[in-house]
Amino acid sequence: QVHLVESGGGLVQPGGSLSLSCAAFGNMSSLFVMGWFRQAPGKQRELVATITNVNTTRYGASVRGRFTISRDYSKIAVYLHMSTLKPEDTDTYYCHFVGLWPDTADIWGQGTQVTVSS
């Protein structure tokens, strides 16, 4: 069973930067998609950014150009560098791991809070 460990949430001022980390532990899949989603109170969880085992990236429209996702090749881990943060980026951010082959998995982290406020 894969477990996700998230870190890096916190309070940051508008216009500032913050980085999130997520590491996966357990039996890994060769083919996977891993990344971040976020959810504000009363809203649907939305895509932030994902990356695949072949480094294909995908970004939500609201963060494209401001956020960057990357991988750690020494382990199954992803990083989200967030810049030019806005108050509307205030959300709980959830790491997500989808294993596709040879084993399938759909795992969510517990979430880490990002608050953008002056």
Side-chain angles (χ1 to χ4, degrees):
Q1 183 71 53
V2 175
H3 297 273
L4 303 178
V5 179
E6 304 159 319
S7 63
L11 175 66
V12 64
Q13 293 183 323
S17 299
L18 193 67
S19 293
L20 307 180
S21 300
C22 179
F25 298 90
N27 294 327
M28 298 293 106
S29 298
S30 297
L31 180 61
F32 65 86
V33 182
M34 190 173 183
W36 295 91
F37 291 73
R38 66 186 185 184
Q39 186 170 26
K43 293 188 177 181
Q44 186 177 2
R45 191 168 297 183
E46 66 172 349
L47 167 72
V48 177
T50 60
I51 190 167
T52 73
N53 56 287
V54 292
N55 300 318
T56 300
T57 57
R58 179 187 176 200
Y59 292 93
S62 63
V63 308
R64 189 176 295 113
R66 298 189 297 120
F67 293 8
T68 302
I69 191 168
S70 60
R71 283 179 59 202
D72 186 338
Y73 292 94
S74 66
K75 56 185 178 181
I76 304 299
V78 294
Y79 308 95
L80 183 70
H81 180 67
M82 304 180 289
S83 64
T84 319
L85 284 161
K86 305 174 181 179
E88 51 262 44
D89 294 318
T90 297
D91 285 309
T92 301
Y93 286 69
Y94 297 89
C95 185
H96 187 218
F97 175 87
V98 177
L100 299 174
W101 187 90
D103 299 318
T104 60
D106 189 344
I107 306 297
W108 290 94
Q110 292 183 324
T112 185
Q113 179 67 34
V114 173
T115 301
V116 184
S117 177
S118 59

